[in-house]
């Protein structure tokens, strides 16, 4: 063999070895499956958005990152207010999570559950895409979880099996299921109802059995979970809080990926989130009421509030707003109020 051929063979084998070690590094660092948690069921927009993210990532990484979705908060045995801690600790690799469920750990996330703070979609967008969203992402990041994109569960509307709710007195003594997040106890206690904390997994059978009278959730969840079949025949559209979702990755998992793959996962989260928000709003807007009509067709009585009725709810929950403004941080709440005001212009 000529010397040059020998050199070529040598360089080739070094190159092959380098390639192999890169593949091995990938094989060693990358898991065969990444567990992605959602609290909702798979078929609602929240679950569809998670699936879109998983599919985009798989396609764009040529299968290097393979994500499996675990609905119903099953990775934390249904205990949805433990989800954030489980992501931080690495029990969960990734999630599309509700700000409500993570607010016990990151108290500023309660801002979206401030009663009657957020009037419409323009206001939601102004908050999550603006300074408030940036500050919340940096708090989530400081808590050890990498936030990538904002999605949406939706405006939460109240349903019950007893009677139409148009004023606070209509819910007096009503047993209403709420998520295990303290702000919700305060809101419904102030309104004269009896809030009962339980997970979403427990809530669905409890509603069907009539152990509780009502619940509050976005219409996509109401419809997706067929709550009209669980006796929830009265629905009030009051837009009292909005429930954004956050697409996140555990920090160690994030750091285990190459820079190129991180960028792919981030971009896929942004793309999936945009589609998810559109799905969550579809059929429930003044331009397209198709899903609202579908709910009516199931024999549900829908109430919208007059401005006086709306005011009665705002007034009754004002002390709760003031108390939680201090807890969340007055500066952040004032920033939100300013951004919402500007979104009206
Ligand atoms: O538990 C709920 O109500 C749900 C599914 O909307 C959340 O996870 C916040």
């Amino acid at each position: 063999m000529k010397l040059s051929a020998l050199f070529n063979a040598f360089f080739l084998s070094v190159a092959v070895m380098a390639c192999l070690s890169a593949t091995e590094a990938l094989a060693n660092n990358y898991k065969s499956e990444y567990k992605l948690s959602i609290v909702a069921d798979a078929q609602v927009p929240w679950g569809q958005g998670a699936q879109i993210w998983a599919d985009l990532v798989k396609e764009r990484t040529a299968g290097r990152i393979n994500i499996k979705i675990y609905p119903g908060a099953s990775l934390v045995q249904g205990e949805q207010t433990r989800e954030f801690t489980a992501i931080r600790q690495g029990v969960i690799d990734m999630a599309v999570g509700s700000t409500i469920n993570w607010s016990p750990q990151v108290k500023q996330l309660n801002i979206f559950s401030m009663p009657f703070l957020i009037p419409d979609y323009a206001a939601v967008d102004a908050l999550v895409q603006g300074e408030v969203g940036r500050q919340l992402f940096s708090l989530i990041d400081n808590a050890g979880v990498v936030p990538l994109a904002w999605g949406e569960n939706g405006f939460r509307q109240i349903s019950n099996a007893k009677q139409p709710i148009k004023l606070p007195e209509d819910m007096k003594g009503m047993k209403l299921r709420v998520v295990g997040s303290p702000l919700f106890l305060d809101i419904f206690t102030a309104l004269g109802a009896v809030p009962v904390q339980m997970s979403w997994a427990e809530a669905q059978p409890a509603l069907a059995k009539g152990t509780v009278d009502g619940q509050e959730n976005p219409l996509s969840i109401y419809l997706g979970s067929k709550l009209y079949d669980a006796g929830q025949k009265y629905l009030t559209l009051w837009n009292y809080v909005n429930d954004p979702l956050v697409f996140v990755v555990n920090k160690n998992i994030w750091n285990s990926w190459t820079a190129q793959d991180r960028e792919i996962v981030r971009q896929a989260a942004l793309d999936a989130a945009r589609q998810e928000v559109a799905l969550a709003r579809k059929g429930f807007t003044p331009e397209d009421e198709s899903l609202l009509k579908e709910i009516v067709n199931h024999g549900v009585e829908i109430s919208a509030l007059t401005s006086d009725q709306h005011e009665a709810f705002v007034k009754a929950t004002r002390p709760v707003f003031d108390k939680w403004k201090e807890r969340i941080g007055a500066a952040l709440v004032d920033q939100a109020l300013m951004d919402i005001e500007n979104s009206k212009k």
Side-chain angles (χ1 to χ4, degrees):
M1 202 186 277
K2 280 197 187 145
L3 206 57
S4 64
L6 207 63
F7 267 119
N8 280 346
F10 172 73
F11 283 118
L12 191 67
S13 69
V14 168
V16 167
M17 271 161 55
C19 258
L20 276 180
S21 65
T23 319
E24 266 166 34
L26 283 182
N28 288 342
N29 289 335
Y30 280 39
K31 297 192 188 183
S32 57
E33 175 195 297
Y34 292 95
K35 293 181 163 57
L36 187 154
S37 175
I38 59 169
V39 173
D41 301 327
Q43 84 282 3
V44 297
W46 181 346
Q48 292 170 346
Q51 190 61 56
I52 294 169
W53 189 22
D55 291 345
L56 287 176
V57 168
K58 186 169 189 171
E59 185 192 311
R60 294 177 187 176
T61 61
R64 281 192 299 283
I65 297 177
N66 181 28
I67 300 166
K68 179 159 180 217
I69 294 163
Y70 289 79
S74 58
L75 296 171
V76 281
Q77 292 73 47
E79 289 185 53
Q80 62 206 61
T81 49
R82 284 187 32 227
E83 189 185 50
F84 190 81
T85 306
I87 303 163
R88 186 161 50 191
Q89 291 171 343
V91 176
I92 291 172
D93 301 320
M94 307 171 76
V96 177
S98 155
T99 52
I100 298 175
N101 296 325
W102 299 354
S103 61
Q105 288 80 34
V106 183
K107 68 171 197 256
Q108 292 85 351
L109 290 175
N110 278 298
I111 196 157
F112 300 106
S113 308
M114 286 286 268
F116 305 100
L117 170 66
I118 306 174
D120 51 26
Y121 289 133
V124 180
D125 295 341
L127 293 189
V128 298
Q129 302 305 336
E131 179 55 25
V132 170
R134 268 192 295 281
Q135 287 189 29
L136 293 172
F137 266 20
S138 107
L139 289 161
I140 291 172
D141 195 66
N142 290 343
V145 172
V146 181
L148 301 175
W150 289 101
E152 185 166 293
N153 191 17
F155 277 105
R156 297 180 74 91
Q157 318 295 4
I158 190 160
S159 73
N160 82 93
K162 299 263 167 177
Q163 61 177 28
I165 296 175
K166 292 183 176 176
L167 284 168
E169 42 266 44
D170 296 330
M171 59 170 87
K172 197 168 167 52
M174 242 184 219
K175 281 166 105 181
L176 298 175
R177 176 269 170 175
V178 294
V179 186
S181 165
L183 172 49
F184 288 84
L185 285 184
D186 284 356
I187 293 174
F188 287 96
T189 305
L191 290 171
V194 182
V196 185
Q197 292 191 332
M198 57 177 82
S199 72
W200 183 233
E202 294 167 317
Q204 299 183 68
L207 288 163
K209 277 192 226 124
T211 321
V212 289
D213 303 316
Q215 63 86 44
E216 48 72 61
N217 246 297
L219 296 179
S220 63
I221 301 251
Y222 176 93
L223 195 60
S225 301
K226 300 188 167 58
L227 293 188
Y228 46 82
D229 278 346
Q232 296 290 295
K233 293 290 184 193
Y234 301 97
L235 187 58
T236 300
L237 307 183
W238 64 339
N239 284 15
Y240 86 120
V241 301
N242 190 278
D243 183 8
L245 303 173
V246 193
F247 289 58
V248 300
V249 179
N250 161 280
K251 203 160 255 181
N252 291 332
I253 297 289
W254 181 252
N255 289 332
S256 75
W257 290 334
T258 63
Q260 184 202 2
D261 281 346
R262 276 183 233 158
E263 199 36 50
I264 290 174
V265 173
R266 181 194 301 282
Q267 190 56 51
L270 290 166
D271 295 346
R274 199 175 314 110
Q275 292 184 51
E276 191 279 332
V277 172
L279 286 170
R281 295 178 183 181
K282 192 169 185 289
F284 300 120
T285 59
E287 302 78 44
D288 170 16
E289 293 192 328
S290 54
L291 293 180
L292 211 52
K293 290 203 182 110
E294 191 179 326
I295 293 176
V296 174
N297 289 343
H298 285 289
V300 178
E301 186 178 330
I302 298 188
S303 307
L305 301 181
T306 64
S307 59
D308 283 352
Q309 289 167 340
H310 172 87
E311 238 2 83
F313 283 103
V314 173
K315 194 164 163 238
T317 51
R318 193 71 217 179
V320 179
F321 190 103
D322 294 341
K323 170 179 163 185
W324 281 83
K325 183 173 179 181
E326 294 311 313
R327 287 206 180 172
I328 290 168
L332 190 66
V333 176
D334 285 336
Q335 176 75 45
L337 286 166
M338 201 172 80
D339 293 347
I340 290 168
E341 208 38 51
N342 287 337
S343 77
K344 291 176 185 161
K345 286 173 191 158

